[in-house]
Amino acid sequence: MARTEEGTLLWEPSEKRKQNSNIYDYMNWLKKHKDLHFDNYHSLWKWSVDELELFWASLWDYFQIQSKEDYQTVLTSHEMPGANWFTGSKINYTEHIFQNRDRHKPAIIHTSELRDQTEISWDQLYQDTAALQLTLKYLGVEKGDRIVAYVANIYESVVAFLATASLGAIWSSASPDFGTQSVIDRFKQIEPKVMVTVDGYRYSGKDFDRTSVVENIQSELPTLEATIAIPYLNENATFDGLKNVTSWKHAVTSKRELTLNFERVPFNDPLWVLFSSGTTGKPKPIVQSQGGILMEHLKALTFHADLDESDRFFWFTTTGWMMWNFLVGGLLTGSTIILYDGNPGYPDKKMLWKMAEQTKMTVFGTSASYITACMKDGLVPKEEFNLQHLKNISSTGSPLPPEGFQWCYDNVKDDLWIASSSGGTDVCTAFILGAPILPVYAGELQCRGLGAKIESFTDEGKPAINVVGELVLTEPFPSMPIYFWNDKDGSRLHDSYFDVFPGIWRHGDYLKVTDRDTCVIYGRSDATINRGGIRIGTSEIYRAVDQVSAVADSLIVDIPDGDGDSSVPLFVLMKENTELTDDIKQAIKKQIRTQCSPRHVPTAIYSVPDLPKTLNGKKLEIPVKKILKGKSVKKVVNQGSLSNPSSLDYFVEFAKKHQKA
Ligand SMILES: CC(=O)CC(=O)O
């Protein structure tokens, strides 16, 4: 595979493209209404983080936020944690979803392994949300109650979320491929009143009936008063084993036209609970606010994804990943969102490209790993599909290597804006991401997001340019967690982000900010490979290994031996019908030696039957490291949130063998 130099200029927006962008519209608005003049993105960014209050207040006006009362203070304090935004105001997230929509245009296009492509108008979305709101009220749901959802990425799930938020109730979802215990570990913590569930799902052409799992979950949630059941896998599913069931059909049926009522709640009231699996203890219940998410998603999706009513916005995700919440946020911009439920590689990886053609997709969001997998399989979508509407490919989950960018230009479309982005569950957004008015450089994320004061910190806690360091946020950000559920003294929140640099959010990623204000992410900072004091991110190693075509994927860990040295095993997943020979090992070492450094050549290379990944496709570097150091699987990872838990067996055996040796 040809190597693409990091930083190669691959695309520049035309003047027309820039003039038509939402960011330009905002810059013109700032000129006209606030007498603020910015020549380029970077001066706008600098102002947005130096004058946080002015910036976020300007968005309040620009987006015409609907509030019961005027806000008193934009930001109560710059101290973290503890900053409060737009105090005194009362808003509702769902109200902004339905503002000024053309009722006949599609709000949602959904398709899945079980369902044909279907369009849902704004009108239908409104009516169904209003009907479900009535049902939830009838079931006694009030502001602050929790509604949990064990649901697939289908239309009904969006309705259920919007109805929940319209009442000021709190949403939390898990994907039906999550194992029983991991769902209970999540939902039980937040004591839900109502559950919404599917009966099962189809993946890779196989049916998964989950009714007995749902029964188990229900029996473990003593606070549940009702369950709304969606017959998705089997349209005649009866849910006989469940108590207090309301059928979906009944829940959204109404004989008359309905009007949605929006419960305006204090800006900093909770919207949802997202869970992030740590390596120990129960998953962290991260609570984000109605107002914080509203402002951040309006900003990220309008300016950085450049969405408006003419767009058809897709992201491949499940309801168990924050990208689902981000995708639904696309509705705030008036664009049509596209939902897909199923395996994106079934029957083969062309499937999503075909869907891009059929849905007239304009923005194609996916994981970096999907793009590199298409690249390794030698796909050429432009030869088979008409992608004339496509203007942007966005990726996240892990850093998109320069070759992934190049592959998109060579094989999908040459006039394309590629945005690699990074953020995470903790803030439910990407805060290093794209901008349609900036050039695209191979392997680089185009910019730090407006209002996000992101720096790369040295070990001494100083910001540095062109140096790889810790990704930090040195100022408050509206979509930061307002708290963790049941973390009364805030200690869990503090220990998760603020224990390394006091008062500063340490995100846990390894970042370089370049002197042209672009960014490069190098993977998780606690997974870096440190040889003789020189640290490099795991993404650099993976990029070098990717050059060896026989290798499908890889995982590397650094295990210090306590004497200042460490062993650095590399585990490779070989392509089908390929063996790891000595020649291939030499080729891998050569790539790492020349492209990273001789110090970072692995101490040994092993072929593995499978590489452990979360259901969201993230490699389990830290849990594998801990297993290899002798920790039990139970202590280091929640197996229900893995796509292939049995892949860990290899590492358990490996640890036993190597500890004996
Ligand atoms: C936006 C993101 O950063 C998503 C993720 O990697 O979890």
Side-chain angles (χ1 to χ4, degrees):
M1 193 183 309
R3 196 173 152 85
T4 304
E5 208 49 52
E6 185 178 291
T8 308
L9 176 65
L10 295 175
W11 182 82
E12 275 190 285
S14 65
E15 204 41 47
K16 186 166 162 224
R17 180 85 183 77
K18 289 189 203 173
Q19 295 292 343
N20 287 337
S21 68
N22 294 331
I23 295 197
Y24 260 41
D25 185 68
Y26 171 59
M27 282 161 129
N28 288 332
W29 182 90
L30 284 174
K31 212 179 287 171
K32 188 164 162 204
H33 297 273
K34 308 279 173 192
D35 199 23
L36 287 164
H37 299 250
F38 299 103
D39 297 341
N40 56 47
Y41 178 81
H42 300 298
S43 58
L44 177 66
W45 178 79
K46 180 117 188 35
W47 168 77
S48 78
V49 294
D50 287 347
E51 302 289 349
L52 271 193
E53 282 91 337
L54 290 184
F55 168 68
W56 289 104
S58 80
L59 295 194
W60 181 279
D61 296 340
Y62 181 78
F63 289 119
Q64 299 177 13
I65 301 299
Q66 304 298 304
S67 171
K68 200 160 171 180
E69 329 265 335
D70 241 358
Y71 62 83
Q72 287 146 8
T73 329
V74 177
L75 182 59
T76 50
S77 142
H78 286 244
E79 246 169 60
M80 288 185 283
N84 263 327
W85 294 87
F86 293 101
T87 49
S89 66
K90 285 193 166 179
I91 55 105
N92 186 276
Y93 173 95
T94 305
E95 181 173 4
H96 291 83
I97 292 271
F98 287 108
Q99 211 130 60
N100 308 325
R101 302 295 175 232
D102 178 342
R103 51 190 299 205
H104 302 297
K105 278 180 77 174
I108 297 180
I109 299 174
H110 66 109
T111 172
S112 79
E113 288 195 26
L114 283 158
R115 290 178 174 174
D116 292 339
Q117 189 173 311
T118 309
E119 287 191 4
I120 306 286
S121 66
W122 278 100
D123 199 29
Q124 188 179 340
L125 180 62
Y126 181 91
Q127 283 303 317
D128 286 347
T129 305
L132 189 65
Q133 184 191 63
L134 268 188
T135 302
L136 291 176
K137 276 189 185 165
Y138 172 79
L139 294 172
V141 172
E142 291 176 356
K143 168 173 134 50
D145 286 339
R146 274 79 59 209
I147 312 262
V148 291
Y150 188 53
V151 288
N153 181 16
I154 53 178
Y155 164 62
E156 292 89 330
S157 310
V158 179
V159 172
F161 161 60
L162 294 179
T164 300
S166 72
L167 292 170
I170 304 169
W171 171 261
S172 191
S173 57
S175 171
D177 51 1
F178 274 39
T180 316
Q181 195 52 46
S182 47
V183 180
I184 295 167
D185 284 349
R186 286 166 167 74
F187 290 173
K188 200 167 184 163
Q189 291 192 60
I190 59 171
E191 300 179 295
K193 190 175 230 175
V194 172
M195 174 160 73
V196 184
T197 185
V198 288
D199 59 323
Y201 62 98
R202 184 172 290 172
Y203 194 85
S204 298
K206 282 198 216 93
D207 289 352
F208 294 86
D209 185 324
R210 303 299 269 174
T211 43
S212 59
V213 173
V214 179
E215 285 163 26
N216 282 339
I217 295 170
Q218 198 190 52
S219 68
E220 288 289 328
L221 299 175
T223 54
L224 267 194
E225 292 176 16
T227 296
I228 299 175
I230 306 168
Y232 171 51
L233 173 63
N234 172 2
E235 57 185 36
N236 300 316
T238 54
F239 297 93
D240 284 340
L242 289 182
K243 286 180 276 187
N244 304 329
V245 182
T246 303
S247 77
W248 177 262
K249 197 164 164 204
H250 181 74
V252 295
T253 301
S254 165
K255 293 207 178 74
R256 56 189 172 90
E257 278 236 341
L258 296 170
T259 305
L260 255 171
N261 295 310
F262 301 110
E263 170 84 26
R264 290 184 177 170
V265 297
F267 188 94
N268 298 292
D269 265 22
L271 174 64
W272 54 46
V273 184
L274 300 179
F275 286 91
S276 165
S277 283
T279 45
T280 51
K282 297 248 183 329
K284 290 186 287 189
I286 297 172
V287 187
Q288 286 145 349
S289 72
Q290 281 247 359
I293 290 295
L294 173 66
M295 298 298 281
E296 168 53 25
H297 283 189
L298 273 170
K299 180 214 79 185
L301 291 155
T302 305
F303 299 147
H304 293 285
D306 202 34
L307 296 178
D308 63 29
E309 288 88 353
S310 65
D311 280 299
R312 291 179 167 212
F313 172 44
F314 169 71
W315 209 291
F316 178 76
T317 181
T318 69
T319 59
W321 190 21
M322 49 65 62
M323 290 311 294
W324 183 82
N325 307 62
F326 193 72
L327 171 63
V328 174
L331 294 170
L332 290 167
T333 68
S335 68
T336 305
I337 61 168
I338 302 172
L339 313 177
Y340 176 69
D341 185 61
N343 179 350
Y346 179 81
D348 57 37
K349 294 193 189 69
K350 289 181 193 167
M351 183 253 129
L352 287 186
W353 301 106
K354 186 169 171 196
M355 199 180 92
E357 174 183 290
Q358 288 171 340
T359 56
K360 301 191 172 66
M361 193 183 285
T362 59
V363 176
F364 184 135
T366 184
S367 303
S369 57
Y370 175 76
I371 296 178
T372 47
C374 288
M375 173 176 85
K376 289 190 168 195
D377 280 8
L379 248 61
V380 190
K382 69 177 182 189
E383 283 178 359
E384 286 183 68
F385 306 108
N386 178 349
L387 300 172
Q388 58 171 313
H389 299 280
L390 191 66
K391 52 184 195 192
N392 168 274
I393 295 182
S394 288
S395 77
T396 194
S398 56
L400 182 66
E403 294 74 23
F405 282 71
Q406 187 70 58
W407 177 84
C408 293
Y409 286 105
D410 293 346
N411 298 286
V412 182
K413 204 169 176 175
D414 50 16
D415 184 16
L416 205 53
W417 159 39
I418 313 272
S420 171
S421 54
S422 186
T425 306
D426 321 80
V427 282
C428 195
T429 192
F431 49 29
I432 307 181
L433 67 183
I437 59 173
L438 293 174
V440 174
Y441 296 98
E444 297 183 1
L445 289 76
Q446 287 178 291
C447 59
R448 291 175 275 185
L450 294 174
K453 189 148 192 193
I454 284 164
E455 311 273 13
S456 166
F457 259 22
T458 61
D459 291 346
E460 293 72 43
K462 298 270 173 293
I465 296 292
N466 285 336
V467 170
V468 185
E470 287 283 350
L471 192 174
V472 296
L473 263 166
T474 59
E475 288 284 355
F477 190 65
S479 68
M480 278 176 179
I482 42 176
Y483 48 81
F484 285 178
W485 199 266
N486 280 339
D487 180 32
K488 299 242 162 20
D489 63 358
S491 54
R492 217 174 163 199
L493 179 84
H494 178 273
D495 294 351
S496 297
Y497 311 110
F498 300 106
D499 64 341
V500 175
F501 304 113
I504 284 175
W505 173 285
R506 171 186 172 264
H507 195 63
D509 280 344
Y510 208 34
L511 165 77
K512 178 173 78 185
V513 178
T514 72
D515 50 18
R516 56 167 171 251
D517 265 326
T518 59
C519 293
V520 183
I521 300 269
Y522 293 91
R524 298 297 289 168
S525 52
D526 43 6
T528 53
I529 309 299
N530 186 343
R531 300 287 283 166
I534 314 244
R535 293 210 293 168
I536 70 169
T538 51
S539 72
E540 290 176 89
I541 305 276
Y542 300 143
R543 189 179 162 213
V545 179
D546 275 351
Q547 296 291 310
V548 179
S549 59
V551 177
D553 208 348
S554 56
L555 184 148
I556 192 162
V557 287
D558 183 350
I559 308 174
D561 61 9
D563 293 330
D565 204 357
S566 59
S567 68
V568 186
L570 173 77
F571 300 96
V572 293
L573 179 66
M574 301 301 292
K575 280 201 177 150
E576 239 171 86
N577 305 323
T578 316
E579 297 245 317
L580 178 62
T581 60
D582 281 344
D583 283 351
I584 294 177
K585 283 187 188 173
Q586 289 314 321
I588 294 172
K589 287 185 179 172
K590 184 168 168 220
Q591 287 295 340
I592 297 177
R593 190 177 307 114
T594 52
Q595 292 176 32
C596 301
S597 87
R599 283 171 194 254
H600 296 92
V601 170
T603 45
I605 305 178
Y606 304 95
S607 170
V608 291
D610 203 359
L611 286 176
K613 291 194 176 170
T614 66
L615 287 165
N616 302 329
K618 294 194 196 261
K619 290 180 197 175
L620 287 165
E621 293 160 331
I622 301 300
V624 164
K625 182 169 167 167
K626 291 189 173 167
I627 291 169
L628 297 186
K629 282 164 89 180
K631 289 247 159 70
S632 77
V633 170
K634 259 201 180 139
K635 286 222 163 101
V636 303
V637 70
N638 183 336
Q639 293 190 63
S641 54
L642 303 192
S643 65
N644 49 357
S646 58
S647 60
L648 291 173
D649 298 347
Y650 170 91
F651 295 94
V652 174
E653 285 310 310
F654 184 97
K656 278 190 206 148
K657 211 157 90 198
H658 285 75
Q659 268 153 24
K660 270 192 219 135

